[in-house]
Amino acid sequence: MIERQVGRMTGALSGIRVLDTATLFAGPLAATMLADFGAEVIKIEHPDGDPVRSHGAQRDGVGLWWKMLGRGKEAITLYLGSPEGQEVFRRLVADADVVIENFRPGTLERWGLGYDELREINPGLVLARVTGFGQVGPYAKRPGFGTLAEAMSGFAAITGEPDGPPTLPPFGLADGIAALTTAFAVLTALRARERTGEGQVVDLAIIEPILTLLGPQLIAYDQLGELQERTGNRSANNAPRNTYRTRDGRWVAISTSAQSIAERVMRLVGRPELIDEPWFASGRERAQHADELDEAVGSWIAQRDRDEVIKAFEEAQAAVAPIYNAADILADPQFQALGTIATLDDDELGPVKMQNVLFRLSRTPGGIRSTGAPLGAHTEQVLARYGITDLDSLREKGVIR
């Protein structure tokens, strides 16, 4: 088993200080990724708390999503809409490398905390602004969520059955893609700062990163006038490619993106004559015969239990995977070998399992220092580091909790 560090206090990003003022998913998840690899992240929440604390599943009133999203961060409360909160924030900014925010455009400026003001305090500051539609344009000040990006990017239009409605994912897909992109953008800006000594603004619109992952849709329309249609689990570029039900009522997925894999699959399921068809030599042409190929593969799979199917595909060196749920993932030996799931001790819940850091580094591995902390758990100790001691006054004014 490849070991990854849990509770590690250093890492590749050790020495980078991040103020995470964002809420819900894209911005905070980007900060979580930075924390996983050693960045010092201070999570700044409104005294009422980040909405994700009450979002989704809970155990004994404790939000489980927060435990993952807030991991590795020091949790403080601070009302940035008050003059006192703004002054505290300026003191934190003076010693920060990165600020991540997702307020509507113009909000920080209205509070006197726009980039021009923050840069006067800290010329090296990187300000990552993560919003639905970016900082400019006719939609800039609209409320924006990942769902809207999944709709406007073209993702929903190509997802679902051909005779069904456009389909949205049941999780924060666009937010997750935006989070990965934000973390990359922050590190890119920090690398530029090494050369110039100056920070800059990252303008990340959630509607944009998901576009890149959707592949050649735009260029195909631009050059050929083609609009990708919904194909369910099938692909317009290769076949067979689908999910198939096994004899024991389970499901597997197969892919034949490589020609050699497609040929192995047809030999395995007893239909080698299809390989000699003129249309079989091209993935795009095979996709036009998906009904015939799915029938051949699906009928073979339906006569066998899942484990038998997977063993046969592996022996044939053909690509197959079981359709997993969370229980299957926790029990899978490959995920165990990679250390994909971490077990951490949480003060409120006891031992908890969650996804580990995104990748393994051989010299400076990442690690999860802690699960998401209770609201305001670190307010006093963090503010004390900055010489802010009038906490009773701040509490009376509702600036902190």
Side-chain angles (χ1 to χ4, degrees), residues 126-150:
V126 172
L127 175 62
R129 316 194 78 167
V130 185
T131 58
F133 302 102
Q135 297 296 307
V136 299
Y139 305 160
K141 294 192 177 181
R142 289 183 182 179
F145 298 98
T147 297
L148 308 188
E150 290 145 11

Side-chain angles (χ1 to χ4, degrees), residues 268-331:
L268 172 63
V269 302
R271 297 296 302 275
E273 75 279 3
L274 292 176
I275 300 172
D276 297 326
E277 294 287 346
W279 48 263
F280 197 88
S282 162
R284 197 167 180 83
E285 288 189 79
R286 289 201 311 273
Q288 296 174 17
H289 295 263
D291 287 342
E292 184 176 0
L293 294 172
D294 272 348
E295 193 282 327
V297 174
S299 61
W300 185 89
I301 288 176
Q303 299 172 41
R304 293 161 175 81
D305 292 345
R306 188 187 72 176
D307 291 348
E308 181 184 355
V309 170
I310 291 175
K311 181 179 179 182
F313 266 74
E314 289 180 345
E315 290 176 350
Q317 298 184 51
V320 67
I323 303 294
Y324 273 176
N325 58 28
D328 297 320
I329 293 168
L330 291 176

Side-chain angles (χ1 to χ4, degrees), residues 339-357:
T340 305
I341 308 302
T343 302
L344 300 104
D345 289 324
D346 180 78
D347 291 340
E348 296 176 289
L349 301 175
V352 298
K353 295 182 184 296
M354 64 179 66
Q355 299 94 319
N356 211 328
V357 300

